[in-house]
Amino acid sequence: MSRIFLSALWEDIIMANYEIDPSVLKPFLPNGVELDLYNGKAYISLVGFMFKKIRIFRVPIPFFGNFEEVNFRFYVKRTESNHIKRGVVFINETVPYKPVAWLANKLYKEHYISIPTRSSIKDEEAKRKIKYEWEKNGNWNYIVAETSKESEPMANNSIEEFIFEHYYGYTKVDSLNTIEYNVNHPRWRIKKVIDYSIDCDFKAMYGSDFSFLNEQKPNSLIVAEGSAVSIGWQRTYF
């Protein structure tokens, strides 16, 4: 059985999903995987969630406490012995703590940065308001969602299922080499989105390739309750 490197709770997960021209993603595509499409379209997601109760090799790391992560990811798949592995590639992952960013970049060759973040999660009668903020170049970006308190299962073959049901991470080491790792969590329940607001400088955060998203509304915004999550220590290089 594979050892667990990291375990934690991922909660109040907001994903704003944008249709994107596949050609924009090609330079970021690791060797050995291909874009995973939904109804023939490629998507990239701006994601915010709470990272809680972090453990490394099952040892609690209490001094990090609870913190926000904001990431920017797209969807890929790898066919291996007639088995399709669906996964994600991260353009960027943002956390408030430099040691977390350093560890992830060192061990998994990911693309973490450490900048100031903050969050606010409030229940108001029948609604829940979730807000994630991150500071870049002196400006606070944010993603906000108002949802129902109650959750429901994802529908089969839905955009929600496509976005959430990717259980591998793929990292482009260089033009020839890729790292694969496994992310484990149960099938998430989702909440009805009542309203949302996004203010993100995509060019400043993620580069000029994504500056067009400054003027584009997401094709969908979905919110999941989240769950316990674990990331295996085993990494496959190919």
Side-chain angles (χ1 to χ4, degrees):
M1 184 176 180
S2 177
R3 295 178 69 193
I4 300 299
F5 164 60
L6 182 145
S7 61
L9 298 178
W10 292 359
E11 296 182 349
D12 293 302
I13 303 163
I14 304 176
M15 291 196 176
N17 311 300
Y18 299 82
E19 184 183 339
I20 189 166
D21 187 329
S23 65
V24 177
L25 300 176
K26 289 296 176 62
F28 303 94
L29 193 65
N31 187 43
V33 303
E34 60 184 295
L35 290 177
D36 195 10
L37 307 179
Y38 179 71
N39 289 341
K41 299 176 180 179
Y43 286 89
I44 194 163
S45 300
L46 178 66
V47 182
F49 66 95
M50 289 303 302
F51 213 131
K52 298 181 177 181
K53 296 184 178 181
I54 184 172
R55 292 172 176 259
I56 295 179
F57 293 120
R58 303 188 186 278
V59 177
I61 312 295
F63 48 84
F64 286 136
N66 303 329
F67 58 90
E68 309 82 12
E69 178 174 321
V70 176
N71 64 56
F72 194 48
R73 70 184 211 176
F74 65 95
Y75 304 92
V76 298
K77 60 184 179 180
R78 180 188 180 204
T79 302
E80 186 179 48
S81 300
N82 296 319
H83 172 62
I84 296 177
K85 295 179 174 180
R86 289 192 154 83
V88 301
V89 175
F90 293 100
I91 302 293
N92 173 279
E93 295 167 89
T94 296
V95 293
Y97 296 122
K98 290 182 180 179
V100 174
W102 179 87
L103 188 65
N105 292 338
K106 182 73 173 178
L107 295 180
Y108 286 89
K109 309 298 184 184
E110 286 289 8
H111 307 104
Y112 272 81
I113 62 171
S114 174
I115 59 176
T117 65
R118 61 193 183 194
S119 60
S120 174
I121 300 174
K122 297 179 181 179
D123 288 327
E124 302 172 353
E125 296 181 356
K127 296 190 298 183
R128 187 173 180 86
K129 187 173 182 179
I130 307 164
K131 184 175 186 179
Y132 299 114
E133 299 179 86
W134 59 102
E135 186 182 31
K136 183 69 172 179
N137 298 336
N139 297 314
W140 283 94
N141 300 259
Y142 63 79
I143 183 169
V144 184
E146 288 188 2
T147 74
S148 62
K149 285 186 179 180
E150 302 299 322
S151 63
E152 59 188 24
M154 289 185 285
N156 292 332
N157 302 315
S158 64
I159 183 65
E160 290 86 359
E161 182 182 65
F162 172 78
I163 293 296
F164 286 130
E165 299 287 280
H166 286 78
Y167 292 100
Y168 290 88
Y170 291 99
T171 305
K172 183 177 183 178
V173 178
D174 53 40
S175 61
L176 297 177
N177 297 287
T178 301
I179 294 176
E180 175 191 276
Y181 57 91
N182 189 216
V183 181
N184 300 291
H185 63 77
R187 186 177 173 92
W188 285 331
R189 295 174 64 86
I190 60 173
K191 295 189 174 184
K192 179 181 178 181
V193 176
I194 300 167
D195 197 8
Y196 73 86
S197 180
I198 299 171
D199 188 351
C200 177
D201 187 339
F202 286 92
K203 182 178 180 180
M205 279 296 299
Y206 308 119
S208 58
D209 289 326
F210 303 102
S211 60
F212 68 95
L213 293 175
N214 286 358
E215 309 300 325
Q216 186 171 320
K217 291 184 177 180
N219 295 73
S220 68
L221 185 137
I222 55 184
V223 176
E225 283 184 327
S227 68
V229 174
S230 64
I231 297 175
W233 174 242
Q234 181 178 352
R235 290 157 287 168
T236 300
Y237 291 79
F238 60 89

